[in-house]
Amino acid sequence: MNRRILIFSFLLFLPFAHVFSQVVVIQQEKEWVNVGRNMLIYEDNSLNISIKEIVSPTIQQQFALAQADVPALATTTAAVWIKLSIQNLTDEKCFLQLTNPSIDSIEFYAFDAQNKLLKAKKSGNIDYSEPRELYSTSFVFELPPATREIYLRVLDDETLTLDLKAGDLQALYEYNNQRVWWNAIYFGIVFIMLFYNFSLFLTTKDVSYLHYVGFSFAFVLSFAHTQGFSNYFLGDWDWFLRKYSFLAGSISVGLGSTFAFNFMQMGKYYPWTRKLVYVVVSWNILNIIIGFSGYRHIAFLSMQSSALLPIYIYLVLAFLIYRKGYKPALYYLIAFVGLEIGLTAHILFGKGIIPYFSPLVDYFLHIGSAWELVVLSFALAYKINVLKVEKEQAQVENLRLIQVQNIDLEDKVNERTAKLNNAIEELRVANEQMQALGDFKEGMTSMIVHDLKNPLNTILGLGEKTEVVQAGKQMLNMVMNMLDVQKFEKAEFQLNLADIHLHSFVNQAIAEVDLLIQRKSLSVKNNIPLCLYVRADAEILNRVFINLLTNAIKYTPNNGKITLSSTLPVALPADFVGVAVEDTGTGIPQEKLNYIFDKFSQVESRKSGLIAATGLGLHFCKIAVEAHCGQIGVVSDLQKGTTLWFSLPKAEIIGNLENHTLIVENHHQFALTEADIAQLNPYLVQFRLFTVFEYSDVKNILDSIEIAENENISLWKKQMENALRACNEEKYDTLVGLGVGLDIKKSL
């Protein structure tokens, strides 16, 4: 009876056996698991099935179990859905990697045991600038801890292989590291050979070398695309190769045909081969036209055919030409047999005709291509020797014409000598440029050391607190200029805009450089009207004023005068406010006025010993003002003085100005309730153990504060960060309860 029940159950579930897969179990740390035959595959030719429909019983029955360790679906325009069950028995995070960087788009869905969606992610090509735990040229997805079932939707009109690996971070890192080393060795060999043969072309002017270099470089770009390394060669243009991958392959095949024709002298032995090369080149031009017309799938299939069939014909021709006595054809035969084996295996594996029997399959094309490059490089070198021998034989045969040829040879020697002299001159110019670059680098390094050394010497050598703080702020301002210039140039800086009372703000900036003013006995006047408000980032604006004031102090002689006003030498729009910083210094020569805002620009030479600066202060002012949509400029008269001016957007102040909050760098105002103070109290106790100058310790405590959705505490935390960056001891003591307390009014 039991036997009958078992047989009945087997027959009942037999039609559905293909939709069940084994669970992929991660049992040990630092070991990856190949998903392979444990995945289920479904091809959606309509391209319209969603994740909600894919989990329905009707679609589930149409999934088929994979039949290979690395399933290959050839070239398909369908959306391929992959389903797999997974269980992580380790304590480490689990990741899923799809090793196929050239995929057009991929969607990832993770479900728990109750079929609840835990995570969904959609992406196109890999974004190499995106922060990730594992930097890989493959698609890597982190699995939520409760993940039991995963669905992937893959879309690609090129050769689609599904090489899926699962494991922890260390396991996948070691697996990818092996791929990186293989590719590093391959690309190293490639570029050595390309550089060597391009050098030979420059020496011999033989067009065969140029065809070889072009053919090999286009092939390497196409290959780098499939391996996910094309962004290292093309940078921001990598998107173009990803979208039109058929282009590099078609160019490679076309140039490879012209190289074979020239290298083996096919036109000499078989004149009809010229038409064959025309057909192959035209075929690949047609592939490019088809691809750019929107039929990428057809262009890719046609390109693969045009890559295989002509090479087999060229191999037969190489054998026949060698039989006729042209020995370089043997090198071509040996080289391209290796390439053709690797290329054929790669294509047949991608179409699923050859099963994935070993990880070595991944590197067939590496080996075949590297073999072809090395052997052909020897072939081209051998060709030079053949030409040399032929030249010697011609000289022996035509000995009677030596006297006539001497004149031609003398002309050639003179020509080569002239070229050599030109090369020497080019090397001399290049050497001078390198020397200039070296001098710049040396001067830059010396300048940085010098500029940072002076404030540090002051900090170490002076005992008065005012001197120490002033020197520290001076050093911090120079360092922040360097850092913020880089942030602005990379568009990584965000402005925190606020309404600022300009007159009060200027007074505060003057106070920060008061020690420098006193040292030179300067007179500084603030003539900014009391009614002016601007809309700006307080921290950035403070550093603009510090830079401009420091610059004016530096170039103004002892007992000189510096004036700040809102009177500008140019007209401004009605919604902008102007600020001018006028000094009585030596002025700036007219020929240098256009360059003072340039990066690393100096009015005085560093080597003169007169002025020492980073050359970034005014450049920072320029990009900071322009980030606020303002303008900046300079007016100067020699021996009379210089006026640096800039404009900022005017703030709209509504209501009584006396009741309006004055937002300056040290007085962002807010209010903390007793509940807020109670939440912050454990952190305040820790803050009181450190001063504002112990940056790392204070920053670590600040970063540990995680009190969500509390505006008052968020404002308090922001003010703490500002105080820490500016080394503002008074503000820091106030915020941690060591100074005047926390009873300040809220603004912003």
Side-chain angles (χ1 to χ4, degrees):
M1 181 65 180
N2 291 335
R3 184 178 179 182
R4 293 180 178 177
I5 294 175
L6 289 173
I7 294 174
F8 176 76
S9 300
F10 175 77
L11 294 175
L12 178 64
F13 288 99
L14 183 60
F16 305 98
H18 66 287
V19 301
F20 293 100
S21 63
Q22 295 181 358
V23 177
V24 178
V25 180
I26 311 299
Q27 296 180 339
Q28 297 182 3
E29 298 177 0
K30 300 182 181 180
E31 288 189 5
W32 55 267
V33 177
N34 184 47
V35 176
R37 301 176 187 272
N38 294 318
M39 72 177 80
L40 296 170
I41 300 173
Y42 169 71
E43 293 191 40
D44 171 23
N45 292 302
S46 69
L47 304 179
N48 294 323
I49 296 180
S50 66
I51 184 61
K52 292 183 179 180
E53 296 172 299
I54 210 71
V55 298
S56 66
T58 303
I59 301 297
Q60 290 288 308
Q61 294 178 10
Q62 299 181 44
F63 274 89
L65 187 63
Q67 301 300 314
D69 291 333
V70 178
L73 304 182
T75 51
T76 176
T77 57
V80 177
W81 283 90
I82 304 166
K83 173 185 176 182
L84 61 114
S85 300
I86 193 165
Q87 186 174 6
N88 181 17
L89 301 181
T90 70
D91 296 330
E92 297 292 328
K93 291 181 180 179
C94 185
F95 295 81
L96 183 69
Q97 173 173 300
L98 176 55
T99 310
N100 190 339
S102 62
I103 287 175
D104 290 335
S105 68
I106 186 168
E107 299 178 11
F108 169 84
Y109 303 93
F111 292 85
D112 61 11
Q114 287 73 41
N115 207 30
K116 178 183 177 182
L117 181 62
L118 300 176
K119 182 178 181 180
K121 184 176 181 181
K122 300 181 181 180
S123 65
N125 296 124
I126 299 171
D127 183 2
Y128 294 97
S129 63
E130 177 185 0
R132 293 170 286 165
E133 292 193 65
L134 177 64
Y135 281 85
S136 168
T137 58
S138 304
F139 290 93
V140 180
F141 302 96
E142 180 180 347
L143 306 183
T147 301
R148 287 295 179 269
E149 209 164 59
I150 297 171
Y151 290 89
L152 294 174
R153 182 182 184 271
V154 179
L155 191 62
D156 188 24
D157 54 9
E158 298 181 13
T159 300
L160 181 58
T161 56
L162 303 177
D163 184 6
L164 278 171
K165 301 288 188 294
D168 60 23
L169 199 63
Q170 183 64 28
L172 292 180
Y173 172 79
E174 293 176 357
Y175 170 76
N176 289 321
N177 194 43
Q178 181 183 15
R179 293 185 67 250
V180 169
W181 273 110
W182 270 95
N183 282 284
I185 294 171
Y186 170 75
F187 288 120
I189 294 173
V190 166
F191 282 102
I192 289 173
M193 294 298 101
L194 290 180
F195 179 78
Y196 168 70
N197 285 284
F198 186 71
S199 300
L200 291 179
F201 163 72
L202 295 178
T203 303
T204 64
K205 305 302 180 183
D206 187 343
V207 72
S208 297
Y209 295 94
L210 189 60
H211 288 175
Y212 169 77
V213 171
F215 143 70
S216 299
F217 184 71
F219 179 86
V220 167
L221 280 183
S222 178
F223 182 71
H225 161 66
T226 65
Q227 298 295 309
F229 291 95
S230 55
N231 69 298
Y232 293 105
F233 304 128
L234 300 179
D236 294 338
W237 284 93
D238 178 50
W239 67 269
F240 185 83
L241 183 59
R242 289 180 174 274
K243 185 175 182 180
Y244 305 110
S245 58
F246 57 86
L247 180 62
S250 298
I251 293 175
S252 176
V253 175
L255 289 177
S257 295
T258 59
F259 166 74
F261 181 83
N262 287 283
F263 177 77
M264 294 191 293
Q265 299 183 6
M266 291 193 299
K268 175 181 177 181
Y269 295 98
Y270 298 100
W272 59 268
T273 56
R274 186 180 302 273
K275 295 181 180 179
L276 173 64
V277 173
Y278 286 157
V279 170
V280 175
V281 172
S282 300
W283 185 357
N284 283 277
I285 292 175
L286 181 61
N287 291 340
I288 295 174
I289 295 173
I290 292 173
F292 278 109
S293 298
Y295 301 98
R296 295 171 51 200
H297 178 67
I298 297 175
F300 185 79
L301 289 174
S302 180
M303 184 269 293
Q304 286 186 327
S305 300
S306 68
L308 287 177
L309 296 179
I311 293 182
Y312 284 111
I313 299 175
Y314 297 153
L315 290 177
V316 174
L317 288 170
F319 176 75
L320 296 176
I321 293 174
Y322 171 70
R323 291 286 300 273
K324 290 190 174 186
Y326 189 64
K327 293 183 179 180
L330 179 61
Y331 282 93
Y332 184 91
L333 182 63
I334 296 173
F336 273 82
V337 164
L339 175 62
E340 195 68 4
I341 291 174
L343 184 61
T344 303
H346 178 77
I347 293 176
L348 294 181
F349 163 68
K351 294 183 178 299
I353 299 175
I354 297 179
Y356 188 91
F357 57 86
S358 167
L360 189 62
V361 171
D362 294 333
Y363 307 108
F364 274 0
L365 194 54
H366 291 76
I367 298 171
S369 176
W371 169 264
E372 173 263 330
L373 287 165
V374 174
V375 174
L376 274 186
S377 295
F378 283 113
L380 291 167
Y382 175 77
K383 186 179 179 182
I384 294 177
N385 294 329
V386 171
L387 294 174
K388 183 179 180 181
V389 171
E390 291 177 351
K391 181 179 179 181
E392 291 175 353
Q393 292 175 347
Q395 288 175 345
V396 172
E397 183 181 354
N398 299 296
L399 187 58
R400 61 185 179 85
L401 300 175
I402 289 179
Q403 292 181 348
V404 177
Q405 293 177 351
N406 282 340
I407 299 175
D408 295 333
L409 289 174
E410 185 177 354
D411 292 339
K412 290 183 179 180
V413 169
N414 291 334
E415 181 183 353
R416 294 292 176 88
T417 302
K419 290 181 178 179
L420 182 60
N421 290 334
N422 290 337
I424 293 173
E425 178 63 21
E426 291 175 359
L427 287 174
R428 185 188 65 79
V429 173
N431 185 60
E432 290 178 354
Q433 292 175 345
M434 290 295 294
Q435 183 64 39
L437 182 61
D439 291 342
F440 175 79
K441 179 180 178 182
E442 179 182 353
M444 186 65 184
T445 303
S446 176
M447 174 273 299
I448 292 175
V449 172
H450 182 274
D451 287 351
L452 295 182
K453 180 182 68 178
N454 289 339
L456 285 173
N457 284 338
T458 304
I459 291 173
L460 296 174
L462 298 176
E464 297 182 13
K465 183 176 180 181
T466 303
E467 295 279 352
V468 173
V469 172
Q470 179 65 57
K473 287 184 177 180
Q474 185 182 354
M475 181 180 65
L476 179 62
N477 189 62
M478 287 189 290
V479 173
M480 292 300 291
N481 281 345
M482 296 179 187
L483 297 177
D484 285 349
V485 164
Q486 292 180 343
K487 289 183 179 180
F488 273 117
E489 291 177 342
K490 295 180 180 179
E492 295 178 352
F493 205 102
Q494 294 184 349
L495 299 177
N496 298 314
L497 299 178
D499 294 343
I500 299 175
H501 184 247
L502 197 54
H503 185 89
S504 301
F505 199 91
V506 170
N507 283 340
Q508 178 181 300
I510 294 173
E512 290 193 30
V513 295
D514 184 63
L515 185 61
L516 300 178
I517 296 171
Q518 293 180 20
R519 286 176 179 174
K520 300 186 73 172
S521 301
L522 302 178
S523 171
V524 180
K525 291 187 178 181
N526 180 4
N527 292 336
I528 303 291
L530 294 174
C531 61
L532 294 183
Y533 288 77
V534 294
R535 184 74 174 169
D537 184 309
E539 182 179 350
I540 297 300
L541 182 58
N542 181 64
R543 297 237 314 282
V544 169
F545 276 114
I546 295 300
N547 280 319
L548 294 179
L549 286 169
T550 303
N551 186 77
I553 293 169
K554 184 187 304 180
Y555 291 96
T556 302
N558 294 343
N559 303 312
K561 180 180 178 181
I562 299 173
T563 305
L564 291 94
S565 67
S566 61
T567 303
L568 300 190
V570 297
L572 295 177
D575 54 347
F576 276 78
V577 172
V579 177
V581 180
E582 181 182 1
D583 63 55
T584 57
T586 57
I588 302 172
Q590 290 296 318
E591 65 271 14
K592 294 187 177 182
L593 287 179
N594 293 331
Y595 307 104
I596 66 167
F597 295 109
D598 291 350
K599 196 173 183 180
F600 305 124
S601 175
Q602 295 288 308
V603 175
E604 298 281 355
S605 171
R606 295 189 186 95
K607 292 185 178 181
S608 69
L610 298 176
I611 299 298
T614 61
L616 290 176
L618 293 182
H619 181 65
F620 168 80
C621 293
K622 181 177 185 295
I623 59 179
V625 169
E626 290 177 350
H628 288 80
C629 301
Q631 305 175 47
I632 190 167
V634 60
V635 176
S636 182
D637 291 325
L638 286 177
Q639 307 306 324
K640 292 184 179 181
T642 300
T643 300
L644 286 160
W645 61 268
F646 64 95
S647 63
L648 292 172
K650 182 185 297 184
E652 295 295 333
I653 305 302
I654 302 174
N656 188 351
L657 294 180
E658 295 181 357
N659 296 327
H660 188 77
T661 303
L662 304 184
I663 303 174
V664 296
E665 199 274 339
N666 282 338
H667 295 86
H668 280 286
Q669 301 182 357
F670 54 90
L672 294 176
T673 65
E674 292 183 1
D676 295 336
I677 297 174
Q679 286 183 284
L680 284 174
N681 192 54
Y683 303 104
L684 295 176
V685 173
Q686 298 179 55
F687 283 126
R688 293 184 186 116
L689 299 177
F690 303 101
T691 67
V692 73
F693 304 104
E694 297 174 275
Y695 184 91
S696 298
D697 297 315
V698 176
K699 189 67 168 63
N700 290 335
I701 301 173
L702 260 179
D703 292 341
S704 67
I705 298 177
E706 297 182 355
I707 303 175
E709 299 181 359
N710 189 316
E711 182 181 3
N712 293 338
I713 293 179
S714 296
L715 289 172
W716 177 88
K717 187 175 179 181
K718 177 65 177 177
Q719 295 308 301
M720 282 289 288
E721 292 174 348
N722 291 340
L724 188 59
R725 292 194 190 100
C727 296
N728 191 326
E729 187 175 12
E730 178 183 356
K731 181 175 181 179
Y732 175 83
D733 291 345
T734 299
L735 292 170
V736 300
L738 297 175
V740 298
L742 296 170
D743 52 342
I744 40 183
K745 296 181 180 180
K746 175 182 174 183
S747 68
L748 274 177

